[in-house]
Amino acid sequence: MKVLALSGSLRAGSHNERLLRAAAEVLPSGVRLERWDRLRELPPYDPDVDEAGEAPAAVADLRAAIADANALLIATPEYNGTLPGGLKTAIDWASRPREDAALKGLPAGVMGATTGLFGAIWAQADARKALGIAGARVLERDLPIGQAHHAFHDTEHRLADPDLQAALEDHLNAFLEHARQDAAAGVP
Ligand SMILES: Cc1cc2nc3c(=O)[nH]c(=O)nc-3n(C[C@H](O)[C@H](O)[C@H](O)COP(=O)(O)O)c2cc1C
C-alpha cells in the first residue's frame, strides 16, 4: 500500500514533518509512506489557468502522486484557527476536474501538531471538511499533538510521551483499516 504524505507546513524543522517521520517509523511492512513536498510551488487555484492547461508542473505532479496513492495522510499545523492556505490550495487543485478529481474516493486521514495546547483540532476539522467536499473518503478522527515543541523525542523519530506515541500508533491503525476497508469495497 502506498500512502501519500502531505505536510501543511513549509517550515524547516516543522513539527508536522516530524510527526510524519514518526508515523513512517511505525507503519507496518508493506505500507510505504511517500512524501509530497512541492507545496510551495502551487499557486492559488485559478479555474482559468486550469482550464487553459496552463497550471505549473507541480499541479500535474500533485495530481499524479495522489492518483498513484492508495491513501492520503496529512499532518497540518493550525494557522489562525484553520488549515494553512497552502494546504487548502493543494486540496483545491486536487479536487478538479470535478468528475475526474485525483481525490475522488481516496481514503484520507489527518493529524496535526501545534505549539499551542490544542493540537490543531480546528485545522484538522477544516481539512477533513475540505477533503470530504473534494470527494475523498475521510477518516473522521483527529490526532492532536499540542505543545509540539516539547512533544518529540530528542534523538529518536517518535513522540516522547509513551501515551502520545500509543495514540499515534492507534490513529495510524485506524487510518490503515479505513484505507483497507475502502479498498476491499472496491472504491477506486
Ligand atoms: C501565521 C500563524 C498562525 C498561527 N495560528 C495558530 C492557531 O490558530 N492555533 C494554534 O494552535 N497555533 C497557531 N500557530 C502556531 C503554529 O501552529 C505553530 O507554529 C506550529 O508549530 C507550526 O507547525 P510546524 O511546526 O509544522 O511548522 C500559528 C502560527 C503561524 C505562523
Side-chain angles (χ1 to χ4, degrees), residues 11 61 84 106-107 143 152 163:
R11 194 173 70 84
D61 191 65
L106 188 74
L143 179 72
F152 291 90
D163 290 343

Side-chain angles (χ1 to χ4, degrees), residues 61-106:
D61 191 65
L62 171 70
R63 288 171 172 164
I66 291 176
D68 194 42
N70 302 104
L72 174 70
L73 181 63
I74 285 177
T76 184
E78 188 163 286
Y79 281 1
N80 299 307
T82 187
L83 69 165
L87 180 56
K88 177 59 164 50
T89 287
I91 294 171
D92 291 343
W93 282 110
S95 73
R96 292 293 187 274
R98 189 75 180 129
E99 64 286 355
D100 193 24
L103 282 172
K104 200 169 165 188
L106 188 74

Side-chain angles (χ1 to χ4, degrees), residues 7-18 75-82 84 113-123 148-149:
S7 165
S9 175
L10 302 179
R11 194 173 70 84
S14 157
H15 301 306
N16 285 280
E17 284 289 348
R18 297 177 78 187
T76 184
E78 188 163 286
Y79 281 1
N80 299 307
T82 187
T114 61
T115 48
L117 285 179
F118 300 112
I121 50 171
W122 286 341
H149 47 310

